[in-house]
Every structure is written in structure tokens, then in C-alpha cells.
Amino acid sequence: MSYTELKREVFEANMELNRRNLVVYTWGNVSQIDRAKGVIAIKPSGVAYEVMTVDDIVVVDLENKIVEGKMRPSSDTKTHTHLYRHFETLGCPEIGGVTHTHSTYATAWAQTQQAIPCYGTTHADYAYGEIPCTAVMSDEQIERDYEEETGVQITDCFKDRSPVEVPMVIVAGHAPFTWGKNGADAVYHAVILEEIARMAYLTKTLQQNTPPLKQGIVDKHYLRKHGKNAYYGQK
Amino acid sequence: MSYTELKREVFEANMELNRRNLVVYTWGNVSQIDRAKGVIAIKPSGVAYEVMTVDDIVVVDLENKIVEGKMRPSSDTKTHTHLYRHFETLGCPEIGGVTHTHSTYATAWAQTQQAIPCYGTTHADYAYGEIPCTAVMSDEQIERDYEEETGVQITDCFKDRSPVEVPMVIVAGHAPFTWGKNGADAVYHAVILEEIARMAYLTKTLQQNTPPLKQGIVDKHYLRKHGKNAYYGQK
Amino acid sequence: MSYTELKREVFEANMELNRRNLVVYTWGNVSQIDRAKGVIAIKPSGVAYEVMTVDDIVVVDLENKIVEGKMRPSSDTKTHTHLYRHFETLGCPEIGGVTHTHSTYATAWAQTQQAIPCYGTTHADYAYGEIPCTAVMSDEQIERDYEEETGVQITDCFKDRSPVEVPMVIVAGHAPFTWGKNGADAVYHAVILEEIARMAYLTKTLQQNTPPLKQGIVDKHYLRKHGKNAYYGQK
Amino acid sequence: MSYTELKREVFEANMELNRRNLVVYTWGNVSQIDRAKGVIAIKPSGVAYEVMTVDDIVVVDLENKIVEGKMRPSSDTKTHTHLYRHFETLGCPEIGGVTHTHSTYATAWAQTQQAIPCYGTTHADYAYGEIPCTAVMSDEQIERDYEEETGVQITDCFKDRSPVEVPMVIVAGHAPFTWGKNGADAVYHAVILEEIARMAYLTKTLQQNTPPLKQGIVDKHYLRKHGKNAYYGQK
């Protein structure tokens, strides 16, 4: 059983993350799942984008055991596998890729430990409502299994919301995670989140009490791009 | 009847928008009118700049019917055609190009739902007085025809002002539109608006109560570049 | 009498201004004086950097009459010649170049109509004390001769300070001017002013009541780079 | 006794500083020590990166006497040698490289004369707790030996903290210094400090009273990258 194509796609998605200027040194990683085979491919830990090759990509199963690859997987691997397992539980098995970055503006919002309000249509085009910020992790969670619990903190934000409708989150005191139908789509959402976070920063510092966009326009913009009545793009 | 030259100019103007770093992915579009033929050419919806060709440009009439082209036109097409129809009504048929972007600083001002004050000569060189922000759209308007009504919101800002003297606007909760004598000129104003918006952001966050530039200097700067006594540039 | 070398140096200085990302489109100009011949060379008005050639550079005398060149000189020419005439009166004939830009952060400070405080050694290395902001121009001045009076507003800031020790100023509601021993040196100071202005913006917005740097360190830094006891650099 | 390899490494580290956009003109310098030979190699003073060659690198002993090289060493040399002498005294002889920059955000924090709080895991991954800001230098120190005393101000911040655990500092009213196991590692920390400082600026201006990251997460992140139980990277 070979993972050549999966590894190539994950390699390309990671390189795109770097090309889009979302990472400093090795701060970021992308994974993608093959649900049929029950594995994900992910960036190796701490390897520079300049020297990384397709062969360095690591394949692990959903219990984080290495299936193929000579390197250690990303230290955030347990967060990725937690998300893939729970997206399925949440009824969203179509989510096939996950990205983690420390992109500047999204991380600043995460550091203030508050959700990113939906201030405008740029946001509403991609995420239906505010981008949630997780709770701060308890000491018990940190001791138990920090990376696994980071995943728990994230999925706890999606008890009443669909991760397909809001394909991004910021982890309090840490940084963002985004997802999509595959690794490339997760990276696409990481780029968009950073721009949304930057616009929201400018909006809030320009006028502290800016209200969120009215619901009618949020609905209109989200639904003209998503769902069965969408009319944006070719198709 | 061929639209080759019109489509080529619109293609080039759209590519320039991308080169000037005003768009993320597909967020932006430029159109240009041929008033004699009663048509506009516009970017296709959701097509990436990297793969777009001249043949992808869509030609529509002023009632938004496709005249030439195999792709769907921009989802904002109705806003563009509304503007061309009403610029003529407002006595400004010389406006021949329209641009829409989500450029970062102009969009942040739009999200705060306030006009951009004229703080300095950089602004006064290109726009005579503050850059208006539309009203927030009512639920009735959203349901009626969102894109057409976006145009209505814009032209409502120019009942007492000339769209030639202020070739730009920000739509509340959304993003900017700019225009000019053709598509290239509309893009030129989109670049300038973004820089004006950035300077105004810095000015306001540095000193919240900064007054607008005194009228005498606004007049001087606007008129040294525009009108029959202008003395800027070659000619 | 030929101005070949003077024009070449002014051309190169203008191109450097563009390369350093201090200008949008045609917003900026550099001049340089040949005091022996009583002329300055300056950028032509409104000509794009991409198409400008050495032959487009205009030579004018200190009363603004064109001596050589087929194009109109910069619309700011009278400000430049005013400065050269008055720098000599102020005892600084060694100032041989002048630059005008609308660089973003320096312009934002100008728009707030306040001097840039000397917050740190980066500033003190190049300008001895705060960077002055001119008074806002009176209506009488605007009507009399706007560009000449812009020069008056600037030289009024240097009645008690040396323009050699503070080779830069911001014009209230407008933008910065810088100078140096020639055009290239004036551009060098324009780059440095923009970075100083950016750092000062960040400093003030981070902590509104930040005090200026203590005088003892200002003296130390300015004097280790300037004057007869300087010990920075090779020499 | 030849210093070829030491000079080459110092040259490369200085060029990397420039490539990473941390310097404007000549504002920055990197040194590296050869403890066995009792010398450091450092950038020459005021030489542009574009023209600098390996042969321009200056070798001095720990009392600042030139051992090899035709140029003057950086005017900050005494600060560097002070640090190398005292890092050994502080029990950290493994620190082998020092970098000084005026990078924008770190300098802005230095100008506000306050430490950079540890707001998130990006910070905690590289520096254990807040990044200290030195005291403002007294007039006596300035007169005594400004550059040597800058080193004193820095080492005074590390009486109760390890310079290995916090490989960076900001000097009040001045700018940052960073260090690492060699010159390249010191530059690596300079890049990271600038990004940490930028995120902290955004965090504080977005929400003035943002609390520091809780200690449990600081410990977790610092220790998963550093020390004997670290599990980040390939090792």
C-alpha cells in the first residue's frame, strides 16, 4: 500500500503555506487524511521548508502511530488526528485537510483570548459568524496530554456550530488552526483567516466599539458562496 | 461586432489590480464600458488571476445579459451596470471604468461604517473632500436584489457631490468601489484609495481627534491637479 | 555649459527614491543644486518613474526659470529653490540636495500636525532632537504663492535650529521634505525619516505618554556619528 | 594563527541579517567568538552590506584590541565583548554569537522602555518569560563608557535569569540585542524577537489589559522545545 500521492499533496500544501508568507522558519504544518486507508500524512517536526522533500512527509494512523516515514511527525500531530476523528463524529467526514500556523494577526487575536467578530462581508464570505476562540487550557489538561487536549479545546467550540461553515478557529494564547476538504483547501483558509484577522484588527483599533455586521448581510454573503443556491464562481 | 479591444483592456486592468497587491485570491474585479455599443466587459466570477485569459472576460449589456463570453460574469456585475447607468444620469458619462476590491485598509474603514476624512493633501490631490461611506443596507434591499441595491447605496452618496470629483466610495460593512475614465484609471484610483485609507488609519489611531485639512488647502491641492487651471503634470 | 552630470545624479537619486518604495506612482521628487552655476536639476512634473530618462530632468535657476529641458519641472519646484536660497542664508550652503515624498508614516505624522518626538537612538543618530512640523498655512499664504510659502513654512522651523543637524521636516497637513549634501543624501534621509516615523508611530500607539529619550543619550548618539569627535564608520 | 573560518561565518551571519530585512542601511551587526583563541570576529563599522566582503570582517580580542583586519570594528564592539566576558561569568560560555539590530517592532518596545510580556506560545517557544528591558542609562554611565555600559545594563537584567533561557533583551530607548550558540543562531533569535515583538504590539493595541500567558502553558511550550525532555524537532 503506497502513500505517494497523499504525501505529494501534503508536501505541496506545506510549501504553499511557506510561499504565502504565513510561516517564520518552521512554524506551521499541514496534514491531509486518506479516510479509506485510515491514515494522515503530515509535515515532519522542525524541518525547514528550504530542505524538506516529499520523502520527509510522515504517514501516521489515527492513533498517531507512524505508518511510513523516517522522521518524527509534527509535534502537533495529536491535535490533527483528534480533529479528523471528531470531525467525523460531528458529521463532517468531508473535512480532509488541517493547517496550523502562527500567522501574525490571527495569533495576536488568539493572544487576546477573544473571538474574531464578523465585521464585514470579507469574513462572511468564508466563515458564518464569529471565528471562535477556545477556552484557556486547564492545568489538568496540560499535564494529561497537551496536544490531544488542544484538539479537545477546538472541538468543544463546535458543539453548536458546523466546522464546515466555520472552517477556522483560534486557540487561546496560542495560534490558529484551519481546515478544508484537503490540505490545499486548509491552507487556502489559513491565508483567508490571516487577512480577515488583519482587517478585524484594523477595524477594532480604528473604532473600539464597532458593531458586528448585521445578520441579513452575513446570511446573504455566506449563502451566495455556499450551499445549493450559491451563485458565486463558475459551475 | 467585436469586443476584442475592450476585452483586452479589461483583462489588462484586472491583471494590474493583482500586480498592485490589492487582491487576495479572486477578491476584486474591474469593468469598462463601451457606451456606443451599450456594453461593458468584466472579469468572470471566481476565476484566479494566474489562469485567466482575455477570452475569459465576459461582455454584458446594461441589463446584465451576456453578449459575449462562455463564463459567468462577476457576481458584482449588477452593481457595475447600475453605476454606469446612473453616472450617465448624474451627468458624468465620461466615467468609463469601475473597480471593486477588498483592499485591506479601505475595507477596514468600510467595516467601521464611517467616511474617510480628508486629513491631508495626498487625499485632496485625488478626492475633493471626505470619501463617503454608504448607509447600511436594509433587509428589504437585501431581499430585493443585493447587488443592484449595492449600486443604489453608492449612487445615493452622490446626490450632492460629483462622482468625478470623488472617484471612490466605501460600502458600509463591505468594501470599496472606485471608478475613472476607463478600467485602468479605475484601478489607479483603487491603488490611491488604499494608500489614502492607510494614511488615514495611521492618522486617526495616532491622534483620535485629528481635524480634517482646512478647506483652503483642499481647494488648492485639488485644483492644482484638476480643472482648467491645473498646473500639475505635462500637457 | 552642460548639466549632464548634475542631471544624471538627479535622475539616479529619483530612481533610488522609487526603488526604496517611498513613492506611489509619481508622488515624490528629488533635486540637486550646482551652486557655482546657480542652478538646480529636478524631476519633471507627473512623469512616471518607469518611463523617465535622464533627458527628462529639468534644469532651472534659483528664480525657477527653465535653463535646460523640454518638460515642466515638478510642481513643487518653488519649494525646492526657496530652500536652497534660504539654506545659504541660514549659513548652510553645504546642503546640496532636497527630497519630497508622501511616504506613509511621515505623512501620517504630518496629517496629525505634530512634531515627531525623539523617542530613541535610531532617531538621535540622524536628527538632533524632534523633527519639526510646520505651522498650518494661512489663507493669505495659500493665495499668495502656495509652493513658495511651503518653503517659508519650512525655513521658519529652522530659525533656532540647524537644518544640517535636523535634515528633515514634516509640513502640516501635507508630507515630508528632507535634504542632505546632494540628491542621493537627501534620499538617504527620506528613507531614514520614514523608518523613524514608523517606529515613533508604534511607540506612541503602544504607550501614549512615552517620554522623549533623555538628553544625555541624544547627545551621545548624535555626536558619535556627527562632528569632529565622531567615531562611527570608517575614516 | 588564522581566523578564516570564523570570519566567514560572521560574514554569512551578517548577510543573513540583511536578507531577513532586519536592517536599514548599516543598522546592525553580528559577532561570533572563538573562546579557545580568545577573540571575536565582528562587522566593520558603517560598511554597507552590498559592498562588504569576508576580508572586511574585523577580529578583536576581549579587550577590544584589533587582532586582524584593516577596518574599524563596529562602534558597538565593546557591548559585544562585555557580553561574551559576562556570559562566561554567568555560567553560560556556550553562548557564542551576538546580534544587534534596530528591527522596527523590537525597537518600538525598547522606546517605550518596558519589557515585552509573554502573551503566547510563540514567545514561550523561544524565551522563558518576559523579554527584559534594561534600565535607562545614567549620565555617569554615558560619560564613563557608553558602549561598555550598554553591556552592563544588559547583564544586569540576567542576575536572576539565564541568558540561555531568554536569549534576547531590549535596551531602553535604544534597540534589541540577541544571542545564541553562534552568530547564525543569534541572527535566528533576532528574527524571532522581531516577530514576537510585532505580535505583542498587535496584542496590546488590540486589548490594552491583555494578561500574560498562564505559567503552565509557558512551561509546557518552553520545555517541549528545550531541555532534556524536549520532543520538538528531529534531534
Side-chain angles (χ1 to χ4, degrees), chain B residues 71-83:
Chain B
M71 308 197 92
R72 281 189 195 178
S74 164
S75 57
D76 300 306
T77 299
K78 284 180 177 174
T79 311
H80 288 249
T81 53
H82 176 93
L83 291 177

Side-chain angles (χ1 to χ4, degrees), chain A residues 16-168:
Chain A
E16 171 74 357
L17 197 63
N18 189 38
R19 264 196 305 275
R20 290 279 176 174
N21 293 315
L22 291 190
V23 292
V24 172
Y25 293 118
T26 60
W27 306 355
N29 44 71
V30 187
S31 69
Q32 184 173 310
I33 195 167
D34 182 329
R35 288 212 177 263
K37 296 178 178 162
V39 299
I40 72 164
I42 193 165
K43 183 177 178 294
S45 183
V47 172
Y49 291 94
E50 293 73 23
V51 301
M52 187 170 60
T53 67
V54 176
D55 285 342
D56 296 333
I57 301 299
V58 188
V59 179
V60 302
D61 65 22
L62 291 178
E63 279 70 46
N64 307 300
K65 274 214 291 280
I66 296 180
V67 171
E68 183 173 298
K70 294 174 298 291
M71 308 198 92
R72 283 189 193 180
S74 165
S75 57
D76 300 307
T77 298
K78 283 179 178 175
T79 310
H80 288 249
T81 53
H82 177 92
L83 291 177
Y84 289 114
R85 290 197 313 268
H86 286 261
F87 286 149
E88 190 161 27
T89 313
L90 291 165
C92 303
E94 69 266 40
I95 296 176
V98 171
T99 291
H100 172 49
T101 79
H102 286 228
S103 69
T104 313
Y105 286 86
T107 300
W109 278 95
Q111 292 190 161
T112 65
Q113 309 181 359
Q114 56 186 331
I116 303 178
C118 180
Y119 285 131
T121 64
T122 319
H123 181 131
D125 280 339
Y126 295 96
Y128 191 55
E130 71 175 23
I131 294 161
C133 180
T134 69
V136 176
M137 204 180 284
S138 70
D139 289 343
E140 293 69 35
Q141 287 179 294
I142 298 171
E143 279 173 44
R144 199 182 308 143
D145 189 333
Y146 178 72
E147 289 79 10
E148 179 77 36
E149 295 293 330
T150 297
V152 172
Q153 300 289 76
I154 293 172
T155 47
D156 277 357
C157 294
F158 292 91
K159 288 175 173 166
D160 305 316
R161 307 178 71 187
S162 161
V164 168
E165 289 182 3
V166 183
M168 43 188 74

Side-chain angles (χ1 to χ4, degrees), chain B residues 144-164:
Chain B
R144 200 182 307 146
D145 190 332
Y146 179 71
E147 289 80 10
E148 179 77 34
E149 295 294 327
T150 298
V152 172
Q153 299 290 76
I154 293 172
T155 47
D156 277 357
C157 294
F158 291 91
K159 288 177 172 165
D160 304 317
R161 308 177 70 186
S162 161
V164 168

Side-chain angles (χ1 to χ4, degrees), chain B residues 13 35 47 113 122 165 189 199:
Chain B
R35 289 212 177 262
V47 172
Q113 309 181 0
T122 318
E165 289 182 3
H189 286 143
M199 286 176 173

Side-chain angles (χ1 to χ4, degrees), chain D residues 54-75:
Chain D
V54 175
D55 285 342
D56 296 333
I57 301 299
V58 188
V59 179
V60 302
D61 65 22
L62 290 178
E63 278 72 45
N64 306 300
K65 275 216 291 278
I66 295 179
V67 171
E68 184 173 298
K70 294 175 297 290
M71 308 197 93
R72 282 188 195 179
S74 164
S75 57

Side-chain angles (χ1 to χ4, degrees), chain A residues 26-27 45 104 146-147 201, chain D residues 126 195 205 221 224 231-233:
Chain A
T26 60
W27 306 355
S45 183
T104 313
Y146 178 72
E147 289 79 10
Y201 169 84
Chain D
Y126 295 96
E195 183 63 9
T205 52
H221 266 264
R224 78 177 194 168
Y231 55 93
Y232 179 89

Side-chain angles (χ1 to χ4, degrees), chain C residues 44-222:
Chain C
S45 183
V47 172
Y49 291 95
E50 292 73 23
V51 301
M52 188 171 58
T53 67
V54 176
D55 285 341
D56 296 333
I57 301 299
V58 188
V59 179
V60 302
D61 66 22
L62 291 178
E63 278 72 45
N64 307 301
K65 274 215 290 281
I66 296 180
V67 171
E68 185 173 297
K70 294 176 297 291
M71 308 197 94
R72 281 189 196 180
S74 164
S75 58
D76 300 307
T77 298
K78 284 180 177 173
T79 311
H80 287 249
T81 53
H82 176 93
L83 291 177
Y84 289 114
R85 290 197 315 267
H86 285 261
F87 285 150
E88 191 163 26
T89 313
L90 291 165
C92 304
E94 70 267 39
I95 297 176
V98 170
T99 291
H100 172 50
T101 79
H102 286 228
S103 69
T104 313
Y105 286 86
T107 300
W109 278 95
Q111 292 190 161
T112 65
Q113 310 181 0
Q114 56 186 329
I116 304 177
C118 180
Y119 286 131
T121 63
T122 319
H123 181 132
D125 279 340
Y126 295 97
Y128 192 55
E130 71 176 24
I131 294 162
C133 180
T134 68
V136 176
M137 204 180 283
S138 70
D139 289 342
E140 293 70 35
Q141 287 179 294
I142 297 171
E143 280 173 43
R144 201 182 306 145
D145 190 333
Y146 179 71
E147 288 80 10
E148 179 77 35
E149 295 294 327
T150 298
V152 172
Q153 299 290 75
I154 293 171
T155 46
D156 277 357
C157 293
F158 292 90
K159 288 177 172 166
D160 304 317
R161 307 178 70 186
S162 161
V164 168
E165 289 180 5
V166 183
M168 44 189 72
V169 72
I170 52 180
V171 177
H174 187 168
F177 281 81
T178 61
W179 43 84
K181 57 183 194 285
N182 51 35
D185 199 39
V187 171
Y188 176 72
H189 287 144
V191 173
I192 286 164
L193 168 57
E194 180 61 4
E195 182 64 10
I196 288 172
R198 191 176 164 218
M199 286 175 173
Y201 169 84
L202 297 173
T203 300
K204 186 126 193 260
T205 52
L206 193 52
Q207 187 178 266
Q208 281 293 324
N209 60 348
T210 300
L213 186 63
K214 66 184 282 186
Q215 192 57 39
I217 301 182
V218 174
D219 289 346
K220 180 65 193 177
H221 266 265
Y222 189 78

